[in-house]
Amino acid sequence: MILDAALSVAASGGYEAVQMRAVAARVGIAVGTLYRYYPAKTHLLVAGLTREFRRLDSAFDWASVDGTPLERLERLTGHLHDRWQSNPSLTAAMTRAFAIADTSAAAELDRAAAEIQVLLARTLKGGEPTPTNLHVAGVISDIWLANLVTFSGHRASAADTRDRIDRATRRVVTSVFTISAEH
């Protein structure tokens, strides 16, 4: 309920609109109670991002899609592209929270990063990921973050951002799996 309220506020007004008092009022709890669970809005938004990655992972078995690692990944990233482009205010809020969170939010950041990394790695592998799949997934998630920060800062359009993410992801996956196949 708390995360739903925070993401709803972010969707309608972006990062700046996510005020702890507004979220607490929407949920019907005291602001002090909210602070016990989430010490700052960055914690709240990153926890929301983690939950959204978990929901995405449980909604569909991305690893079971037939095809090459790149084809499986393209199906997942196509879905991700559609989701982040459908609500740019929410995307910008969660991206900003992830990018600016300090060490006090390290646990939440680690959980969010691990969720997306494992989802990407399982999709690449088509099952339980190898260390190589996890490393490649880490690079891909970094590509996403860097490009979403650029998009959120209004330095690139949604189409340009999607194109850069797709091109970089294809290059990484193609080069890693081509090298692996040669050895």
Side-chain angles (χ1 to χ4, degrees):
M1 210 155 90
I2 292 172
L3 295 179
D4 291 332
L7 297 184
S8 177
V9 170
S12 63
Y15 183 82
E16 289 76 20
V18 181
Q19 301 297 317
M20 298 300 267
R21 188 168 306 287
V23 173
R26 191 173 278 225
V27 177
I29 61 173
V31 73
T33 302
L34 180 58
Y35 275 111
R36 272 186 266 168
Y37 293 103
Y38 303 100
K41 72 178 170 181
T42 53
H43 295 73
L44 187 57
L45 288 168
V46 172
L49 180 62
T50 301
R51 187 191 68 179
E52 293 306 303
F53 287 150
R54 287 182 182 147
R55 284 181 171 175
L56 177 64
D57 192 16
S58 66
F60 185 80
D61 185 5
W62 301 99
S64 70
V65 174
D66 288 333
T68 67
L70 184 58
E71 290 167 341
R72 284 190 299 275
L73 186 64
E74 285 177 342
R75 180 166 178 164
L76 171 60
T77 58
H79 181 79
L80 288 170
H81 285 307
D82 292 343
R83 298 247 340 238
W84 71 261
Q85 289 179 26
S86 70
N87 195 327
S89 293
L90 178 59
T91 299
M94 289 194 294
T95 300
R96 183 172 175 188
F98 191 88
I100 68 169
D102 61 19
T103 57
S104 70
E108 288 91 350
L109 290 168
D110 289 347
R111 279 191 288 277
E115 286 292 330
I116 193 61
Q117 186 175 9
V118 169
L119 173 60
L120 290 166
R122 272 194 278 114
T123 301
L124 282 168
K125 176 63 177 170
E128 280 307 305
T130 66
T132 298
N133 299 129
L134 289 167
H135 290 298
V136 171
V139 170
I140 293 168
S141 64
D142 288 346
I143 290 167
W144 270 84
L145 178 61
N147 281 284
L148 288 177
V149 166
T150 301
F151 168 75
S152 298
H154 307 288
R155 296 187 313 268
S157 70
D160 289 340
T161 301
R162 181 174 184 163
D163 182 57
R164 288 195 300 209
I165 290 170
D166 288 344
R167 281 186 295 122
T169 299
R170 272 189 223 107
R171 285 184 187 135
V172 168
V173 171
T174 302
S175 66
V176 168
F177 288 100
T178 300
I179 292 168
S180 295
E182 292 173 359
H183 291 355

